[in-house]
Amino acid sequence: MSANDFDSVDRDKGVDHFESADRFELRPVGRVSSPLTDRTGAPRQPDEDAPPATIRLDPEFATAAADLRPGMRVVLLTWLHAARRDTLAVHPRGDRARPATGVFATRSPDRPNPIGLHEVTITAVGDAGFDVAGLEAIDGTPIVDIKPVLGAIETR
């Protein structure tokens, strides 16, 4: 598909699930509470000593989180609000000695639509949210959705 083909997609056939090509609503279900306060001090990968973090849920979504349990692996979809949306290429790990790589081939938070995918382990669950290990997101990061890791769901 070329860039010109994108504009000719027949939206009536269900390809574009938004009302228009330039407007849709994305509401956070919660926010990250973390000791990480800026991108410079944040780990680049979850296995680089990401500190424990808490996911504070909007009370409206408490019922949606009722079956979350300690030990579960979940994927947090985040809106990386501190990302630069105009960046299309980066030097991997910020190393200028390495050639620039298109952001779609990297885990850089900088990208046109900065959605983060973070596989984490739930360590504790409370009334207002849950604690996780392995989250490399800074304080205040909006949580867009929470998905269980396939194969990690208890058999009911």
Side-chain angles (χ1 to χ4, degrees), residues 30-107:
R31 294 209 178 255
V32 174
S33 178
S34 169
L36 299 173
T37 57
D38 63 66
R39 290 179 46 186
T40 56
R44 302 281 192 232
Q45 298 286 335
D47 60 353
E48 293 178 348
D49 296 325
T54 298
I55 306 307
R56 301 222 181 275
L57 294 174
D58 182 319
E60 177 181 356
F61 300 106
T63 301
D67 294 316
L68 297 179
R69 301 280 180 260
M72 282 184 74
R73 302 274 303 158
V74 295
V75 175
L76 302 176
L77 283 77
T78 61
W79 182 257
L80 302 172
H81 65 296
R84 291 186 48 206
R85 297 192 68 183
D86 61 347
T87 301
L88 301 181
V90 295
H91 295 280
R93 301 182 79 62
D95 182 356
R96 294 207 170 270
R98 297 172 78 177
T101 302
V103 295
F104 294 152
T106 74
R107 286 185 46 89

Side-chain angles (χ1 to χ4, degrees), residues 92-153:
R93 301 182 79 62
D95 182 356
R96 294 207 170 270
R98 297 172 78 177
T101 302
V103 295
F104 294 152
T106 74
R107 286 185 46 89
S108 171
D110 296 321
R111 50 203 331 105
N113 287 309
I115 294 176
L117 299 170
H118 312 271
E119 187 172 325
V120 299
T121 301
I122 296 175
T123 58
V125 177
D127 293 336
F130 53 96
D131 297 339
V132 297
L135 179 60
E136 76 281 19
I138 64 174
D139 190 60
T141 299
I143 302 295
V144 176
D145 204 354
I146 302 162
K147 303 279 188 183
V149 172
L150 294 178
I153 302 171

